[in-house]
Amino acid sequence: MPSDTAPEIVGVRMSRFAACLAEVSLEELIYQTCRDLLRDLGLSARDLDHVALASSDMVDGRAISMMVTAGSAAGYGRDVINSSSSGEHALVLSAVRILAGRGRLGLVAAWGKPSEAPLAVGDSLSLDPFYQRALRLERTAFLGLQAARYLARRPEAAADAAAVVERRLASARRNLRSALSGTEATPGGPAPSGAAASGRADDVVAWPLRRRDVPPPTDGAVAMVVATPEVARGIAARRAAIRGLGWASDAYWLGDRDVTRLPALAEAWSTARRRAGGAPPLDVVELSDISPYHEMMVCEALGLSGKDGARVVVNPSGGLRASNPEFGAGLCRVAEAALQVMGQADPCQVNGARWALGHGVAGLGATTHTVVLLEGVA
Amino acid sequence: MTGRRVAIAGVGQTPFRHRYPDVIYPDLVREATRLAVADAGLRIADVDAVVYSMAPDALIGVSHAERWVVDAAGAAGRPLLRVNTGGSTGLSAVQAAHDHVASGLCEAVLIVGADRVGESGDAQTILNRIWDPMYERALPLNTITMLAMQAVRFMEKYGATERDMARVSVKNHRNGCRNRYAHIRQEVTVDEVLRSRMISYPIKLYDCCPQSSGAAAMVLVSPERATRLPRPPAWIKGLGFSAETYWMGDRMGPAAESDHAESPALRRAVTAACRAAGISAPAAAIDVAEVYAPFSCVELHAIQDAGLCEPGRVMALLAEGYFDLDGALPVNPSGGVMCANPIAVTALVRAIEATLQVTGRAGEHQVPKARTALATGIGGDHQFFAAAVIGAEP
């Protein structure tokens, strides 16, 4: 997207992440995150001309959950829009609005408080009521089905998966913004939901996945301010310019595709590259590693598996081990990518990071993908 | 608006009914998609992206149904995102799709959605869940009792009566009989409305919208693509949206932030849309309005808050026939929300009807020489207000 019009992220803020943030309500969690971000940037809610949110009724436990959360996110009295398909789609809505010339400065926010949500029930209710719902599948089963097929295609992936998990856990423990910050947590961290909810780290939760392979959900919120380049320059010295943006959905039915590949992600990445005017030399990728096998599938779809991908640092934040608020996790990945190119990602800053990609995923079977290509500007 | 202009190339609606027992949800979406894409003279392969219009998941009993309908909306392998702002969702989806095109990222975008409110069991029980579980949910609020309080306050402030409300119902039901997509196609008299069963004072049965099932879709295109359409398109001239407080208690009593009789956010949304369209006086510039009003009392305040008449004048003008199909400023010639309320797409249908009017394709409920139309949407607990100005010219 042209440098004179490409929206820029001028600041990001993430809440504390933990398996359960019992001390704050959902409304307080969102409010504190957005208030702190605006205060950091010297802005007030009155400066905003739009607010773009992402919320899931099922995760938030309310019908039209953005009704109660919009006020917490500076939405009262303002122009608000809300996506319910994926957390990072809030950023897409803000970006297209700014590119369309209908906005100059917007607040983007997403969140999740899965400690209060029966995620497995929500998963079941998202399945079509005629064919799939009676199977009582939930997210872990879908992850296992895809991982098993991937393992059949690449038997050597089992060893790679174990190494990936250890690397991500080590990174997440170093990251001060992480649910595992400074801990010597049990591998796998807090208990995941559904079939992975109890037992030891080595227990198989959905073959070939073991409990440690599935990043546990966390409570938390993420917010960012997005602006036109002109406005952005007046707010922050270092920004993350959105050079490419792509999002796509795969076919709904697992039987309609090769589940070891992510064609929607490949399409989204292709679109983002085209909009960026070509493939830049990526320094960092913050991807949604819903399982180590899915991380490998994502790397394949992004073309990071070959020699060219060797120099790219993947998930220096620890990925979903660091921050995994259901429905807001993809926007956390974009936030971590933005911090990298703004030089604000300590203590997991990648030296000299200029180009970064943030990736979000949604849907059972990893059907919905979004990529945001960021360049650091000053 | 400063981005490139955006044309409405095609629209599609299924007939709205209480039930579609022989059609599964994705097939409703598939049918609306087929109708809108064909109306635009395009193929589904010509569509670059889909914006899915879906409000509360619970109304259809499937969570995140935007995933279930990916194939039916022709979106497999393509960009799809869902917009949800409650009852205003349809116009929020128009705004999002507009920005897809105006930004230059897309050439053709499909907006589609469907709902099965009539098959939800009890929509009002579901809609009680929109309120905070600690304070207001237990009152017990639903969208009828909430708007009954609004009506009482409007009657107190502006002197409106139940008979004024009944006149709204008579007008809209008369118009709905001319609209082949309307769920309710039955005329009523003022006396019949006044004698109908009390639901929540002052709202009676014939002051209420139905619980509707059905689907709707719209295709937006760039100016370049608009030159190749089979017929002249409509154009999005202006968009606006504004939110009010979530809390009922903030609209009542001496410390109220806003008066429950009115909707300052609707005024802000319409003002923003009109400003973008270069309109300073909506009452003079708008030829026809499709105003989101699920209950007769809502239309009374919505007309004046949209700037279509002076505050307090709406009752007298209504009695004169000013807002009738053959009046000076027809409001809800389709019958409006009182004749069909498939919540996920109700506000989208307002934009579709506005499009049909300014392109002269509204059939038996066509307003002669309509060139500029206003469409509005209301979502949440009378909280989110959306507006679009749609015109025959770019």
Side-chain angles (χ1 to χ4, degrees):
Chain A
M1 292 187 277
S3 59
D4 57 336
T5 58
E8 295 180 358
I9 297 169
V10 297
V12 305
R13 183 83 181 201
M14 287 179 274
S15 71
R16 192 166 74 81
F17 296 103
C20 178
L21 294 174
E23 70 277 15
V24 289
S25 68
L26 178 64
E27 298 92 311
E28 291 166 332
L29 176 67
I30 298 163
Y31 171 72
Q32 290 168 5
T33 307
C34 294
R35 176 201 61 193
D36 291 349
L37 172 60
L38 293 176
R39 192 167 55 195
D40 289 349
L41 295 171
L43 298 172
S44 99
R46 290 184 185 82
D47 297 319
L48 304 168
D49 56 40
H50 68 279
V51 174
L53 307 174
S55 65
S56 164
D57 285 6
M58 187 52 62
V59 178
D60 292 349
R62 301 155 188 257
I64 322 176
S65 70
M66 65 94 70
M67 289 172 57
V68 69
T69 54
S72 299
Y76 176 49
R78 256 164 286 284
D79 189 329
V80 188
I81 197 164
N82 176 66
S83 176
S84 290
S85 41
S86 200
E88 60 281 2
H89 286 175
L91 178 60
V92 172
L93 289 171
S94 179
V96 296
R97 181 176 181 132
I98 289 171
L99 284 165
R102 288 205 315 121
R104 302 176 74 238
L105 182 66
L107 177 72
V108 172
W111 53 82
K113 213 159 185 294
S115 65
E116 300 174 1
L119 294 182
V121 174
D123 290 346
S124 180
L125 287 173
S126 74
L127 296 171
D128 91 279
F130 304 106
Y131 299 101
Q132 295 189 108
R133 191 177 292 178
L135 298 174
R136 296 187 178 277
L137 295 170
E138 44 74 74
R139 63 192 58 202
T140 318
F142 272 83
L143 294 176
L145 281 169
Q146 289 185 281
R149 285 296 303 154
Y150 189 82
L151 203 52
R153 178 158 71 82
R154 278 194 64 225
E156 69 276 19
D160 295 344
V164 163
V165 169
E166 292 309 315
R167 285 204 300 275
R168 299 297 164 254
L169 285 168
S171 298
R173 291 190 193 108
R174 280 196 303 273
N175 182 359
L176 296 176
R177 297 174 295 281
S178 164
L180 301 182
S181 174
T183 68
E184 292 297 324
T186 303
S193 68
S198 60
R200 297 172 306 179
D202 282 339
D203 286 347
V204 172
V205 291
W207 191 87
L209 297 175
R210 299 178 184 277
R211 179 171 173 255
R212 71 160 67 89
D213 294 329
V214 183
T218 67
D219 288 355
V222 54
M224 54 184 67
V225 168
V226 187
T228 62
E230 181 187 8
V231 172
R233 282 191 291 272
I235 297 173
R238 305 183 75 169
R239 292 98 57 197
I242 300 173
R243 295 288 183 233
L245 192 58
W247 64 101
S249 293
D250 274 326
Y252 176 73
W253 303 98
L254 280 181
D256 283 349
R257 63 187 173 102
D258 176 351
V259 296
T260 70
R261 303 182 196 279
L262 304 173
L265 175 56
E267 173 63 26
W269 178 220
S270 171
T271 303
R273 286 200 311 270
R274 176 168 49 77
R275 287 173 177 158
L282 285 174
D283 300 300
V284 178
V285 171
E286 277 284 341
L287 57 82
S288 292
D289 50 332
I290 51 179
S291 88
Y293 297 93
H294 284 76
E295 175 169 330
M296 290 180 246
M297 293 179 219
V298 169
C299 287
E300 287 180 7
L302 295 176
L304 301 178
S305 301
K307 277 192 299 186
D308 291 344
R311 62 178 290 278
V312 180
V313 179
V314 174
N315 284 2
S317 72
L320 295 182
R321 309 282 171 169
S323 45
N324 192 15
E326 178 73 11
F327 210 72
L331 197 61
C332 290
R333 305 279 66 73
V334 179
E336 287 286 354
L339 289 173
Q340 287 287 346
V341 299
M342 292 192 290
Q344 298 168 7
D346 277 345
C348 42
Q349 178 68 48
V350 174
N351 288 334
R354 178 183 168 193
W355 288 92
L357 182 150
H359 162 250
V361 64
L364 296 178
T367 52
T368 299
H369 296 267
T370 306
V371 294
V372 183
L373 180 58
L374 300 170
E375 181 187 16
V377 292
Chain B
M1 293 191 284
T2 56
R4 65 176 175 170
R5 292 168 296 139
V6 176
I8 302 172
V11 297
Q13 307 173 67
T14 66
F16 297 105
R17 305 174 184 163
H18 187 57
R19 290 178 177 275
Y20 270 95
D22 55 341
V23 180
I24 64 170
Y25 182 77
D27 282 346
L28 284 173
V29 174
R30 193 185 311 276
E31 177 63 2
T33 298
R34 186 188 67 78
L35 290 168
V37 171
D39 192 51
L42 300 174
R43 299 169 304 148
I44 192 66
D46 299 322
V47 170
D48 299 323
V50 176
V51 175
Y52 195 67
S53 180
M54 180 71 209
D57 302 63
L59 287 171
I60 67 159
V62 176
S63 176
H64 290 292
E66 73 276 5
R67 298 164 190 164
W68 190 19
V69 303
V70 161
D71 307 274
R78 282 190 257 188
L80 178 146
L81 62 76
R82 169 185 167 192
V83 169
N84 173 13
T85 60
S88 50
T89 294
L91 275 174
S92 292
V94 170
Q95 296 189 4
H98 167 277
D99 293 347
H100 279 52
V101 176
S103 64
L105 296 189
C106 297
E107 294 299 312
V109 176
L110 169 72
I111 307 157
V112 65
D115 219 330
R116 309 192 79 134
V117 184
E119 295 150 273
S120 64
D122 178 5
Q124 289 302 330
T125 298
I126 291 169
L127 291 171
N128 172 257
R129 270 58 172 177
I130 66 178
W131 275 282
D132 181 274
M134 307 298 178
Y135 299 101
E136 294 190 335
R137 186 180 291 179
L139 287 180
L141 286 167
N142 58 41
T143 56
I144 303 175
T145 56
M146 164 188 77
L147 291 168
M149 289 192 283
Q150 188 271 333
V152 169
R153 177 65 189 136
F154 188 87
M155 292 163 79
E156 166 71 16
K157 183 166 184 175
Y158 291 104
T161 65
E162 292 176 71
R163 185 168 291 273
D164 294 318
M165 291 168 53
R167 288 196 181 101
V168 173
S169 180
V170 169
K171 169 183 71 73
N172 288 342
H173 284 96
R174 185 192 310 131
N175 292 349
C177 289
R178 293 168 170 259
N179 177 5
R180 64 193 177 102
Y181 299 107
H183 179 174
I184 303 296
R185 304 184 70 186
Q186 176 183 325
E187 291 208 41
V188 293
T189 66
V190 167
D191 285 343
E192 285 172 333
V193 178
L194 292 173
R195 286 201 308 268
S196 63
R197 180 163 61 91
M198 184 63 73
I199 303 296
S200 178
Y201 177 83
I203 296 174
K204 292 167 286 298
L205 182 64
Y206 292 165
D207 290 309
C208 297
C209 63
Q211 301 182 78
S212 309
S213 300
M218 175 182 275
V219 176
L220 305 186
V221 299
S222 65
E224 294 74 20
R225 194 70 69 87
T227 61
R228 305 200 297 268
L229 298 175
R231 72 176 77 82
W235 296 86
I236 296 177
K237 309 272 288 182
L239 297 167
F241 192 100
S242 187
E244 284 182 14
T245 176
Y246 170 61
W247 301 97
M248 289 291 102
D250 284 347
R251 302 170 192 172
M252 301 172 188
E257 295 183 21
S258 61
D259 192 321
H260 202 22
E262 293 148 355
S263 296
L266 176 58
R267 187 170 290 274
R268 289 195 294 269
V270 173
T271 300
C274 285
R275 188 186 305 121
I279 293 172
S280 57
I286 300 296
D287 299 316
V288 56
E290 279 285 338
V291 171
Y292 193 108
F295 302 95
S296 58
C297 52
V298 176
E299 187 167 312
L300 291 175
H301 89 78
I303 286 174
Q304 64 180 42
D305 286 336
L308 301 180
C309 74
E310 291 298 315
R313 284 269 293 149
V314 62
M315 288 78 74
L317 291 172
L318 182 72
E320 291 172 12
Y322 190 85
F323 304 115
D324 287 356
L325 187 54
D326 58 355
L329 203 176
V331 172
N332 290 335
S334 69
V337 185
M338 289 189 66
C339 292
N341 191 7
I343 294 175
V345 293
T346 300
L348 177 60
V349 171
R350 306 279 69 72
I352 288 172
E353 287 292 342
T355 300
L356 293 173
Q357 288 289 346
V358 301
T359 53
R361 298 198 294 141
E364 290 184 37
H365 58 286
Q366 177 68 48
V367 173
K369 299 179 182 174
R371 305 293 287 171
T372 304
L374 173 70
T376 67
I378 304 178
D381 54 350
H382 215 240
Q383 178 186 8
F384 302 123
F385 295 85
V389 175
I390 293 170
E393 311 293 338

